[in-house]
Amino acid sequence: MAGHSKWNNIKRRKGATDEKRGKLFTKIGREISVAVKQGGADPETNSKLRDAIANAKANNMPNDTIARSIQKAAGGGDGANYEKIVYEGYGPSGVAVIVETLTDNRNRTAGDMRHYFDKFGGNLGQVGCVSFMFTREEDEYVPIAMVKLSKEEDVKNMEKLLDHLEDNDDVQDIYHNWDFDEEEE
């Protein structure tokens, strides 16, 4: 019987891993789609596409899935036009959060972002409300100063906020200035 519960645990974990992988592939597929629509389907002449393909391969995305994403975007097969929208806001106790999204429905994404920030003790702000707290290096937002969270409730809410943002298919990247200890993980 003990072996049975171990199998269920492994199965559940593998299912969660497969689901996360699917979400990651969805995000990378959008990245490829946007790159193709901006600069064409040839990675030789489109550096954004070349980077997106490298990212896909680094995350073990199958070559045929990569090729399908490129063909779909080049042929306009998916009909979706993704736009990049950056959201800024504050998490619990004033942690600065920047969320980069690619979306084909700005109303849905804005609603989701507002909901997550509100639900977990933060608030979505105007563009520019927190970006001044970061320096920009290539495609990296680097926080100028870090914020520590002392209340356990704030730590839990910040973790939940980040989890929900990561699970959202529209979200590509999340940057924050939360200084968390590895032991808290």
Side-chain angles (χ1 to χ4, degrees):
M1 222 42 199
H4 179 70
S5 69
K6 181 179 179 190
W7 163 246
N8 273 344
N9 205 0
I10 291 168
K11 193 168 68 177
R12 191 173 311 119
R13 215 174 293 137
K14 183 184 178 335
T17 304
D18 288 348
E19 187 180 325
K20 279 191 167 141
R21 214 171 126 126
K23 283 186 176 295
L24 180 64
F25 288 175
T26 299
K27 290 179 186 201
I28 294 170
R30 285 187 185 187
E31 196 182 321
I32 289 171
S33 174
V34 168
V36 168
K37 287 179 179 170
Q38 287 176 347
D42 183 2
E44 295 295 314
T45 57
N46 183 345
S47 65
K48 270 195 175 15
L49 177 59
R50 198 166 43 244
D51 292 347
I53 291 170
N55 184 27
K57 289 186 178 199
N59 285 289
N60 300 317
M61 189 171 183
N63 285 335
D64 62 326
T65 307
I66 295 170
R68 264 198 316 273
S69 294
I70 294 170
Q71 285 168 344
K72 219 172 172 182
D78 66 353
N81 269 324
Y82 294 108
E83 60 179 318
K84 184 176 186 168
I85 303 174
V86 178
Y87 294 91
E88 298 182 29
Y90 291 96
S93 292
V95 173
V97 181
I98 297 175
V99 184
E100 290 185 337
T101 66
L102 282 177
T103 181
D104 58 349
N105 182 334
R106 112 190 334 251
N107 290 338
R108 176 195 65 226
T109 305
D112 287 348
M113 296 303 111
R114 192 167 293 105
H115 174 71
Y116 300 148
F117 277 89
D118 288 348
K119 186 172 181 180
F120 301 112
N123 61 305
L124 195 59
Q126 298 297 314
V127 173
C129 73
V130 300
S131 56
F132 71 91
M133 294 187 232
F134 295 80
T135 57
R136 192 83 199 247
E137 295 174 11
E138 291 172 34
D139 275 344
E140 273 308 280
Y141 283 100
V142 180
I144 294 167
M146 302 300 284
V147 173
K148 277 201 176 287
L149 295 176
S150 53
K151 289 190 211 150
E152 193 175 325
E153 185 185 348
D154 286 346
V155 170
K156 282 191 174 125
N157 277 331
M158 189 64 199
E159 286 173 345
K160 286 179 187 169
L161 173 61
L162 294 175
D163 285 346
H164 278 77
L165 290 170
E166 283 172 8
D167 279 350
N168 186 297
D169 286 342
D170 298 333
V171 174
Q172 294 295 110
D173 290 300
I174 306 163
Y175 306 93
H176 59 79
N177 67 349
W178 175 30
D179 185 7
F180 58 92
D181 297 326
E182 291 303 320
E183 306 89 68
E184 287 178 7
E185 286 277 292

